[in-house]
Amino acid sequence: MPFRIVSGDITKLHVDAIVNAANTSLLGGGGVDGAIHRAAGPRLLEECRTLHGCRTGEAKMTLGYDLPAKYVIHTVGPIWQGGRCGEEELLRSAYRNSLLLALEKNCESVAFPMISAGVYGYPKEQALEVAVSTIRAFLEENEMDVILVIFDRDSFRFDVRLYSEISGYLRNTYDDGKGPGIILGDVVGSAAVGGGSRPRRSLFSRTKKARVEECARALPEEPVEDEEAADAITPDAAPPVMRMQAEAMYCASAMGAAPNGLAEALSNLDESFSQALLRMIDSRGMKDSECYKKANIDRKLFSKIRSDVNYRPSKQTVLAFAVALELDLNETEAFLKKAGFALSHSNKADVIVEYFIANKNYDMYSINEALFAFDQNLLGA
Ligand code: APR
């Protein structure tokens, strides 16, 4: 998986290179610097002495010695001084120069701590944004497995607004198994989308049904022509989460009542997952590399999928491509079904991905930050 966020201790990772958030002397310190020197042993310090320091934003490389990692890339992040002393650009350079050095040494995998987010006081949410956006820009042009290591959960400051929106969506949608079962075929409203006569289906747990029905009741009784028209009629008064649920209902009912063109094509069972994927990449005029990079899938895996018409993907892989292809919920369900899977409201990760798709937010990095924030497996492979 080209980009991954993990919790843990960077000194334990079996990767080609780990990055050290050092200081300009390169002679060790506290935090991750201290941990890396302790784990690598005294030979690391001996080699660092030969480097004669390192400027902020630059990077230098040594062997890993007693570490499981082959190399250590020492970089120096900026000390936070309020944000008006070029800290952001210096932090970006620290990530970028470390990645370029790893590339130069043909590293296939590199792990970063959250540079400057500790002793150097960089605000954690901004530090995360700089780290992810710089890594993302590098991965758009290069092939490498890059891991961002979160040592303590407090260092991972996910977008607060997005976090509360997703929490609200989970509260209304996720079935943790304690409430009554999910209704997958239950009638909520009589209106149908897409001209079909089949009743609207609820994907939501019975306990929340009344609140979602309120929203659904605002829908017209007569069938509407298409999902766009349906999406346009969710009651403005409804809180965003309920509106989203109503939109998700339209997608669900459209899935039941009258799949749209792409979903209908996807329901052609003669076509394998791999064939459907390649067809959709072509129909969207995407390059293969553009699609698998957007899906956070590595090139080798994509080549396997391309060359094996009967390739059996994992659910994460199917969902990753559904996001990359910007499928709506209805199309995503049909695509999953082709590989033998379905979205489930008793799976928290599925509900989070559904939130993003229902919101037409196909930013894989945001989705994976959200999945990490809620302790779920990331999308990609
Ligand atoms: N594995 C992964 N991450 C770690 C580990 C570890 N073993 N230990 C600490 N971290 C995380 C911290 O939680 C923080 O999010 O590394 C991030 C960077 O924190 P610091 O190590 O304090 O580094 P930084 O903020 O860049 O300050 C650098 O601190 O240790 C000294 O010598 C270092 O002077 C330099 C300064």
Side-chain angles (χ1 to χ4, degrees):
M1 192 185 287
F3 177 65
R4 196 190 305 256
I5 308 173
V6 302
S7 291
D9 178 348
I10 200 167
T11 65
K12 305 273 191 278
L13 292 185
H14 291 257
V15 290
D16 286 346
I18 61 171
V19 175
N20 178 20
N23 58 54
T24 50
S25 74
L26 294 191
L27 299 180
V32 69
D33 194 4
I36 289 175
H37 275 274
R38 281 192 298 278
R43 289 177 293 168
L44 178 61
L45 184 56
E46 280 165 29
E47 186 175 357
C48 283
R49 289 191 201 288
T50 67
L51 298 177
H52 307 301
C54 178
R55 288 199 302 199
T56 301
E58 297 191 0
K60 294 190 175 178
M61 193 179 238
T62 65
L63 293 176
Y65 299 105
D66 301 341
L67 286 161
K70 225 183 292 177
Y71 298 110
V72 179
I73 294 173
H74 305 267
T75 191
V76 183
I79 296 171
W80 180 255
Q81 302 174 71
R84 292 193 181 76
C85 305
E87 294 97 318
E88 181 179 326
E89 191 33 49
L90 283 169
L91 186 56
R92 278 189 202 285
S93 309
Y95 281 99
R96 195 181 309 120
N97 288 327
S98 300
L99 287 163
L100 291 174
L101 196 47
L103 195 64
E104 198 184 300
K105 295 284 183 186
N106 300 314
C107 295
E108 290 185 2
S109 53
V110 63
F112 283 92
M114 286 279 289
I115 301 168
S116 287
V119 166
Y120 280 4
Y122 209 106
K124 298 181 191 320
E125 191 170 336
Q126 294 175 57
L128 178 68
E129 193 285 323
V130 170
V132 172
S133 57
T134 311
I135 292 166
R136 170 193 210 139
F138 174 83
L139 288 176
E140 269 156 19
E141 304 303 324
N142 301 282
E143 313 266 344
M144 195 181 285
D145 286 350
V146 182
I147 301 169
L148 185 61
V149 183
I150 306 299
F151 186 62
D152 55 86
R153 295 297 297 199
D154 181 48
S155 299
F156 186 78
R157 288 290 167 78
F158 180 57
D159 177 328
V160 177
R161 184 196 57 75
L162 193 49
Y163 189 88
S164 63
E165 285 263 323
I166 296 170
S167 304
Y169 195 76
L170 281 166
R171 257 197 313 281
N172 288 295
T173 313
Y174 171 56
D175 174 36
D176 56 8
K178 297 192 188 85
I182 289 285
I183 309 140
L184 280 177
D186 204 40
V187 172
V188 173
S190 59
V193 166
S197 57
R198 295 225 351 228
R200 189 176 307 292
R201 304 197 317 168
S202 156
L203 277 173
F204 310 117
S205 70
R206 204 185 299 279
T207 45
K208 309 295 180 297
K209 193 172 146 212
R211 291 163 64 194
V212 178
E213 273 181 320
E214 220 172 277
C215 185
R217 266 197 293 281
L219 313 178
E221 281 316 305
E222 70 288 350
V224 291
E225 283 320 301
D226 57 28
E227 282 193 29
E228 277 63 45
D231 288 354
I233 55 176
T234 43
D236 291 344
V241 171
M242 300 306 269
R243 270 208 305 282
M244 229 137 41
Q245 287 185 344
E247 280 154 19
M249 283 166 69
Y250 297 140
C251 297
S253 53
M255 172 181 74
N260 64 23
L262 180 59
E264 204 160 346
L266 278 168
S267 56
N268 155 17
L269 293 178
D270 302 342
E271 189 186 42
S272 72
F273 162 79
S274 169
Q275 288 168 324
L277 172 64
L278 298 177
R279 176 174 55 74
M280 287 190 285
I281 292 174
D282 292 345
S283 66
R284 279 161 167 68
M286 292 174 91
K287 287 196 298 205
D288 286 354
S289 59
E290 184 193 346
C291 184
Y292 68 72
K293 282 180 182 291
K294 211 177 151 200
N296 197 28
I297 298 276
D298 74 32
R299 180 177 44 79
K300 290 181 215 116
L301 175 58
F302 182 80
S303 309
K304 253 165 83 176
I305 295 172
R306 167 172 272 289
S307 57
D308 175 1
V309 70
N310 297 314
Y311 181 81
R312 297 189 58 73
S314 70
K315 186 173 183 178
Q316 259 95 354
T317 299
V318 179
L319 280 175
F321 279 116
V323 167
L325 293 162
E326 303 195 358
L327 302 186
D328 65 25
L329 274 180
N330 177 22
E331 294 157 349
T332 299
E333 285 280 5
F335 196 35
L336 280 165
K337 200 167 163 188
K338 191 167 282 305
F341 299 114
L343 282 178
S344 157
H345 280 177
S346 52
N347 177 322
K348 197 175 275 190
D350 283 10
V351 174
I352 292 170
V353 175
E354 177 187 297
Y355 165 86
F356 279 90
I357 293 177
N359 246 325
K360 297 183 176 43
N361 179 342
Y362 295 103
D363 181 328
M364 180 60 80
Y365 285 78
S366 300
I367 293 172
N368 275 337
E369 284 179 37
L371 288 168
F372 180 80
F374 285 92
D375 294 320
Q376 302 302 306
N377 289 335
L378 307 188
L379 286 192

